[in-house]
């Protein structure tokens, strides 16, 4: 009985708060932001001409999408691999369970 009563009471309270907070169309003040009229001095043709130039003045590439060019090096791939093998043999590069 108590659980049913508690559920019914909370449901009624939720419904009452929902219906009391519903905004009505006639409640808006006359100085609402939606009632403000904007008067422009430009013609429709001027605005359309400006809008047509936007794609040509803006980049179509998203910011940060450029990749840095690979740096030029005089070292060959074989030399780098030989150095890595030598460092591994000398224990300068941890491997297996000794790695970090």
């Amino acid at each position: 009985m108590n659980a049913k009563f508690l559920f019914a009471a909370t449901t009624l309270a939720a419904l009452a708060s929902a219906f009391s907070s519903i905004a009505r169309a006639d409640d808006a003040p006359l100085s609402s932001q939606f009632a403000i009229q904007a008067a422009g001095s430009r013609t429709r043709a001027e605005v359309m001409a400006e809008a047509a130039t936007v794609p040509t003045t803006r980049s179509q590439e998203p910011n940060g999408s450029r990749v840095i060019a690979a740096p030029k090096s005089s070292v060959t791939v074989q030399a780098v691999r030989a150095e890595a093998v030598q460092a591994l043999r000398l224990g300068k590069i941890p491997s297996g369970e000794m790695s970090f």
Side-chain angles (χ1 to χ4, degrees), residues 2-17:
N2 285 339
K4 288 181 183 179
F5 176 74
L6 184 60
F7 179 73
T10 55
T11 304
L12 287 175
L15 286 173
S17 68

Side-chain angles (χ1 to χ4, degrees), residues 57-84:
T57 59
R58 291 201 181 144
S59 173
Q60 298 296 322
E61 185 176 298
N63 288 338
S65 66
R66 288 194 178 184
V67 179
I68 298 174
K72 302 295 180 191
S73 176
S74 62
V75 181
T76 64
V77 174
Q78 291 83 13
V80 172
R81 286 183 181 165
E83 288 179 22

Side-chain angles (χ1 to χ4, degrees), residues 7-91:
F7 179 73
T10 55
T11 304
L12 287 175
L15 286 173
S17 68
F19 282 118
S20 67
S21 65
I22 294 176
R24 292 174 178 73
D26 60 346
D27 289 345
L30 294 177
S31 63
S32 173
Q33 63 177 347
F34 301 110
I36 297 173
Q37 294 289 329
S41 61
R42 298 190 311 171
T43 64
R44 180 183 173 99
E46 290 172 343
V47 172
M48 295 299 283
E50 181 183 347
T53 63
V54 169
T56 59
T57 59
R58 291 201 181 144
S59 173
Q60 298 296 322
E61 185 176 298
N63 288 338
S65 66
R66 288 194 178 184
V67 179
I68 298 174
K72 302 295 180 191
S73 176
S74 62
V75 181
T76 64
V77 174
Q78 291 83 13
V80 172
R81 286 183 181 165
E83 288 179 22
V85 168
Q86 184 68 18
L88 189 60
R89 282 188 192 141
L90 295 175

